[in-house]
């Protein structure tokens, strides 16, 4: 469903490439998650790579990741990623990555929970198709943000073997500085994050035995997402007051109240999170007024 002649360009390049290929042309733009899932269903190769249309990769990207996947018999492999700021003609490393492979998925989950490793794109990953098929891993099609995050966290939790390549072989193109986003768009993003984090969190809790990871998912990943959404409602003004109080109704559930109290486990790392949780639990009116003034 592109508007820039992509279909013809793709056909002109591929028809003389000598490669086996299939072009899927959507009648309307249904979002990146739908496109990736259609690609997954159509794929016949042994490995899957999701590449964003306006990014770049080093020439050795595929060969390097395939070699690593075969050598380590890994369910998925990821490499370093760098950002190219087009307007400034400069590169910058993105996120953090371990110096060497960490072994099983429990070690990667623990490193993620300790923020020693970042996962924010599927584009610098190579997945074994059989692994994705066996675990029925697909992108949530109602999501337009954080679909990468949910997918990768689920893959982490479900995999038996992961490997890494330290070199930054994938290049994310930043065409210009991000413009100020409208409050409606910010709210749409926040409202998408919460169910995505719930789903990813449930998958991790079901598949990990690491107590630190469980505490992080329960007390930080999910609770923080909920608190952030309420904070954005409060900062957005009186027109979102009704949504703020409607969302507070979820606190009637014992499990949700327990989740909010559990933020104390990260008190020494982020004390502000625990105090916000207490304010929302016991003084929701005051929290709304304070955040409204501090916007």
């Amino acid at each position: 469903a592109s508007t820039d002649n992509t279909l013809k360009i793709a056909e002109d390049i591929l028809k003389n490439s000598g490669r086996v290929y299939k072009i899927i042309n959507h009648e309307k733009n249904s979002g990146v998650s739908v496109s990736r899932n259609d690609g997954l269903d159509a794929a016949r190769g042994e490995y899957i790579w999701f590449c964003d249309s306006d990014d770049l990769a080093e020439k050795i990207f595929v060969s390097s990741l395939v070699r690593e996947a075969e050598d380590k018999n890994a369910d998925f492999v990821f490499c370093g990623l760098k950002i190219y700021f087009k307007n400034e003609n400069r590169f910058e490393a993105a996120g953090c990555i371990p110096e060497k492979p960490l072994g099983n998925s429990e070690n990667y989950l623990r490193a993620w929970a300790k923020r020693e490793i970042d996962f924010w794109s599927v584009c610098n990953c190579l997945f074994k198709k059989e692994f994705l098929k066996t675990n029925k891993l697909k992108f949530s099609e109602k999501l337009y943000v954080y679909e990468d995050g949910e997918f990768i966290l689920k893959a982490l939790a479900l995999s038996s073997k992961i490997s890494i390549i330290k070199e930054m072989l994938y290049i994310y193109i930043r065409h210009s500085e991000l413009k100020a986003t409208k409050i409606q768009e910010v709210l749409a993003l926040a409202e998408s994050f919460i169910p995505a984090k719930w789903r990813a969190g449930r998958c991790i809790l079901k598949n990990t035995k690491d107590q630190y990871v469980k505490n992080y998912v329960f007390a930080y990943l999910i609770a923080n997402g909920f608190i952030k959404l309420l904070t954005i409602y409060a900062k957005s003004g009186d027109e979102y007051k009704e949504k703020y109080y409607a969302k507070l109704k979820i606190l009637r559930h014992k499990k949700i109240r327990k989740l909010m109290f559990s933020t104390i486990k990260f008190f020494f790392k982020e004390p502000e999170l625990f105090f916000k949780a207490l304010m929302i639990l016991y003084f929701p009116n005051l929290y709304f007024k304070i955040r409204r003034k501090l916007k």
Side-chain angles (χ1 to χ4, degrees):
S2 67
T3 58
D4 59 359
N5 211 27
T6 296
L7 179 62
K8 185 178 185 306
I9 294 170
E11 287 175 335
D12 288 346
I13 292 171
L14 290 167
K15 68 184 179 183
N16 297 316
S17 69
R19 301 175 186 274
V20 177
Y21 68 90
K22 180 177 182 178
I23 294 175
I24 302 170
N25 186 33
H26 289 157
E27 292 297 321
K28 65 176 183 177
N29 188 344
S30 300
V32 65
S33 295
V34 172
S35 295
R36 286 171 175 168
N37 286 341
D38 283 352
L40 262 175
D41 292 337
R44 296 292 176 264
E46 189 176 347
Y47 296 98
I48 301 288
W49 173 34
F50 304 102
C51 179
D52 280 353
S53 59
D54 55 349
D55 290 344
L56 298 171
E58 300 291 353
K59 290 182 179 180
I60 60 170
F61 176 91
V62 172
S63 59
S64 298
L65 270 67
V66 168
R67 189 180 305 113
E68 184 69 18
E70 292 180 341
D71 288 348
K72 301 295 194 305
N73 191 28
D75 293 323
F76 80 90
V77 179
F78 64 98
C79 68
L81 181 150
K82 55 189 173 184
I83 302 173
Y84 175 63
F85 294 86
K86 196 170 183 179
N87 289 355
E88 303 170 30
N89 191 28
R90 68 179 179 89
F91 291 93
E92 184 179 297
C96 54
I97 189 169
E99 290 291 334
K100 57 183 179 180
L102 302 178
N104 60 31
S105 60
E106 292 280 30
N107 294 338
Y108 281 93
L109 283 170
R110 192 172 179 86
W112 162 76
K114 289 186 171 184
R115 301 182 187 180
E116 296 169 353
I117 187 170
D118 290 333
F119 294 100
W120 63 282
S121 174
V122 291
C123 295
N124 60 325
C125 303
L126 184 82
F127 298 91
K128 189 177 286 185
K129 190 182 73 173
E130 188 60 33
F131 161 70
L132 299 180
K133 183 179 177 182
T134 300
N135 290 284
K136 299 179 180 178
L137 260 176
K138 290 286 188 76
F139 291 89
S140 296
E141 296 191 352
K142 292 182 179 180
L143 281 184
Y144 289 89
V145 292
Y146 202 68
E147 78 287 338
D148 281 22
E150 180 184 345
F151 189 91
I152 292 175
L153 290 179
K154 286 180 176 179
L156 268 180
L158 294 166
S159 63
S160 56
K161 188 68 182 294
I162 305 164
S163 194
I164 62 171
I165 294 176
K166 176 70 176 175
E167 289 75 25
M168 294 179 287
L169 301 179
Y170 190 82
I171 306 161
Y172 173 83
I173 307 296
R174 175 70 61 80
H175 294 282
S176 61
E177 290 305 312
L178 296 176
K179 297 179 181 178
T181 309
K182 294 179 180 178
I183 189 63
Q184 292 88 348
E185 294 174 356
V186 173
L187 282 169
L189 294 177
E191 288 169 344
S192 296
F193 282 151
I194 289 181
K197 287 182 176 180
W198 273 104
R199 290 189 294 267
R202 282 200 305 266
C203 182
I204 293 171
L205 291 172
K206 185 179 177 181
N207 290 280
T208 186
K209 296 178 181 178
D210 191 304
Q211 193 57 49
Y212 184 90
V213 173
K214 288 183 177 181
N215 288 339
Y216 179 82
V217 168
F218 195 67
Y220 187 85
L221 181 72
I222 299 174
N224 187 44
F226 181 62
I227 291 169
K228 273 188 175 180
L229 178 60
L230 289 174
T231 303
I232 292 171
Y233 281 144
K235 286 182 176 182
S236 303
D238 291 335
E239 60 266 40
Y240 291 96
K241 196 172 185 177
E242 189 176 330
K243 280 196 169 188
Y244 175 84
Y245 284 102
K247 192 64 70 174
L248 282 176
K249 291 178 181 177
I250 199 173
L251 295 175
R252 296 171 183 171
H253 300 286
K254 288 183 179 179
K255 285 186 177 181
I256 303 299
R257 294 182 69 83
K258 182 181 177 182
L259 182 150
M260 297 291 275
F261 280 122
S262 67
T263 55
I264 196 170
K265 294 176 181 178
F266 287 83
F267 181 80
F268 293 105
K269 281 193 173 183
E270 291 197 34
E272 185 181 332
L273 184 66
F274 177 63
F275 289 125
K276 284 181 178 178
L278 288 184
M279 286 285 289
I280 289 168
L281 281 167
Y282 293 107
F283 309 103
N285 294 339
L286 181 60
Y287 186 78
F288 184 89
K289 290 177 182 177
I290 290 173
R291 301 312 301 182
R292 178 75 180 91
K293 290 180 180 179
L294 293 176
K295 67 175 183 174

